[in-house]
Amino acid sequence: MASWWQDAVVYQIYPRSFQDTNGDGTGDLAGVARRLDHLAELGAAAFWLSPVYPSPLADFGYDISAYTAIDTVFGDLDEFDALIAAAHERGIRVLMDLVPSHTSIEHPWFREHPDWYIWAPGDGPPNRWTSAFGGSAWSRDPGSGRWYLHSFFPEQADLDWRNPEVHDAMARVMRFWLDRGVDGFRIDALDRVMKDRLLRDDPPAREPFGLPLRGDEEQLQLIHSRNDPDIVQALAVMRAAAGDALLVGEVYLRSALVKPYLEYLDTAFAFELYQSPWQADALRGAITRTLAAGAFAWVLSNHDFPRLVTRYGAENAASAALILLTLPGLAFVYAGDEIGMPDGPGVQPPLDRAGRDSHRHPMQWEPGALGGFTTGTPWLPLINAPGVSVAEQEADDDSLLGLYRRLIALRPLLGTSLEMLDSDPAVVAYRRGDYVVAINAGLVPVSSPATGEVIIATRPAALAPNGKLAANAAVITQA
Ligand code: GLC
Ligand code: CA
């Protein structure tokens, strides 16, 4: 039986930046509830809420100090329940962000259950593992004088998933939210959930990692500091707790290596396509390798990496949307992408120490410096780029927002199969059921396999009478 999420579009909400309702400049749960119509009109089947738990904000919510509560800046559990009810009333499902690999060092567990964390056996770092954000992955806990592992910021201590008490604790967390009615989880940093039992150093690299890395991690074969083969044990625990709720994994590895994770997860983000340059051969290769590796969720923007408009250029935003929304399986749309929000300038001094402020600017509901986001001082300024707002694009069927809506409405008609089609080197083309999708990633018009009636085009006259597909254009045709 097909599940609700088979070809669903999931809308990623970064709650600080979505909609403020009390004028404090930070988005909140009531704001999400207020904007559910936008999701419904887009055709989103669900939304993923980036963390809304209490957090000291070293990593803007990914450093959690209580797993079963709502940070007061966002609201409270009653408002959370009301949001779920309002979403479900509209047939919209809700995914929480589960962060099982680490807690904030301010989580009471860090003091009360030190054996739930990973400690160096001696006095000092036992290896040269580095944190994802640079520097050693080991820090000294001033309280105990011992050294603990942190795959991310020093404020994010890694849990020890070799301790069965951690299994029980995290399963309880999952059940807490499932009992409140959530429909699944996006699971954070899964490739870091378990590391080498012997804490061995990573050997020198023998082949490229396949995805961009920070610092000099390219030099290493990252087999001990992450992606431990025992991770499947942790996944089994999470699957057992989740029942048949949707589990979407953030596994930052090339597609082929994600395969074992998919034994337990329903799907995982397709980072190879996300990180592909805008070149037809690279895009084609990423899609083909990912489809061969299993059931992936397509995604081209999130709160961690530059937005698609910034990576690919505004001239390719519509074509990128067409790829994202015509591949088989789940697709994730990061709030703001549907109106073509680019990265912004961030703020000085930066808030995020890992330099990701520019991907997290508030949603532009209307033109203007406050953009319909807040009546107060926004926690990050709005970008306010000309024409890039929901209000302006809603009034115009030919807008990017109009295109997103049409593409999402077409998805159920595309079937489940995908056949790559031979085409000009500048073109990505594939068949989906009765439809042919073609994207010209090049700078000159070229022939493509897309003939017949144009169902959706990224711009007027995308397909010339002589059958050539315009530069920076994409179409869906039906034979
Ligand atoms: C994931 C999150 C990112 C966070 C990191 C540590 O990659 O998407 O925002 O910093 O995990 O939790
Ligand atoms: Ca607020």
Side-chain angles (χ1 to χ4, degrees), residues 59 62 99 102 133 152 156 186 188-189 250 303-304 356 360:
D59 191 10
Y62 286 93
V99 184
H102 47 265
F133 304 134
F152 296 90
Q156 294 165 293
R186 172 268 188 190
D188 190 70
E250 186 208 23
H303 60 291
D304 288 328
R356 295 166 294 181
R360 300 173 175 179

Side-chain angles (χ1 to χ4, degrees), residues 184-387:
F185 299 93
R186 172 268 188 190
I187 314 183
D188 190 70
L190 270 177
D191 48 302
R192 304 295 188 116
V193 154
M194 292 177 82
K195 302 94 192 164
D196 184 46
R197 184 191 287 276
L198 302 174
L199 307 178
R200 285 172 290 183
D201 263 319
D202 291 321
R206 285 193 312 217
E207 53 183 358
F209 185 69
L211 295 172
L213 292 169
R214 286 171 189 259
D216 26 319
E217 286 188 315
E218 282 99 0
Q219 321 295 331
L220 299 171
Q221 200 190 345
L222 301 168
I223 53 169
H224 293 322
S225 60
R226 69 188 72 174
N227 194 25
D228 188 88
D230 291 342
I231 283 177
V232 289
Q233 297 166 13
L235 295 175
V237 170
M238 292 183 230
R239 172 47 79 195
D244 55 11
L246 175 63
L247 297 183
V248 183
E250 186 208 23
V251 186
Y252 195 70
L253 297 171
R254 61 175 189 274
S255 302
L257 297 181
V258 180
K259 230 175 170 167
Y261 294 71
L262 293 173
E263 301 271 313
Y264 296 93
L265 303 171
D266 295 295
T267 183
F269 292 123
F271 282 113
E272 271 193 60
L273 183 64
Y274 192 134
Q275 301 289 17
S276 168
W278 190 254
Q279 284 157 10
D281 56 342
L283 295 165
R284 228 181 285 121
I287 293 169
T288 307
R289 286 190 301 276
T290 302
L291 286 172
F296 280 79
W298 308 101
V299 57
L300 292 178
S301 288
N302 66 25
H303 60 291
D304 288 328
F305 300 109
R307 282 181 179 267
L308 73 85
V309 168
T310 300
R311 298 198 321 278
Y312 300 152
E315 68 282 13
N316 292 314
S319 296
L322 198 126
I323 295 191
L324 174 69
L325 296 169
T326 59
L327 293 170
L330 276 159
F332 277 68
V333 173
Y334 181 41
D337 266 21
E338 75 277 32
I339 53 171
M341 273 174 60
D343 276 1
V347 73
Q348 286 306 327
L351 297 171
D352 177 45
R353 283 139 61 202
R356 295 166 294 181
D357 294 336
S358 53
H359 330 314
R360 300 173 175 179
H361 285 272
M363 183 71 180
Q364 195 84 43
W365 297 102
E366 320 161 349
L370 302 182
F373 165 70
T374 185
T375 53
T377 306
W379 77 285
L380 264 181
L382 280 89
I383 300 173
N384 200 19

Side-chain angles (χ1 to χ4, degrees), residues 349-422:
L351 297 171
D352 177 45
R353 283 139 61 202
R356 295 166 294 181
D357 294 336
S358 53
H359 330 314
R360 300 173 175 179
H361 285 272
M363 183 71 180
Q364 195 84 43
W365 297 102
E366 320 161 349
L370 302 182
F373 165 70
T374 185
T375 53
T377 306
W379 77 285
L380 264 181
L382 280 89
I383 300 173
N384 200 19
V388 182
S389 78
V390 174
E392 288 161 286
Q393 296 194 17
E394 208 143 38
D396 172 11
D397 264 355
D398 294 330
S399 63
L400 189 63
L401 179 58
L403 177 71
Y404 268 80
R405 288 176 177 173
R406 286 196 298 282
L407 285 168
I408 293 172
L410 183 71
R411 286 169 67 76
L413 304 181
L414 299 179
T416 50
S417 66
L418 179 146
E419 182 198 344
M420 274 290 172
L421 300 174
D422 288 336

Side-chain angles (χ1 to χ4, degrees), residues 120-135:
D123 184 17
N127 58 32
R128 285 167 300 175
W129 292 353
T130 56
S131 116
F133 304 134

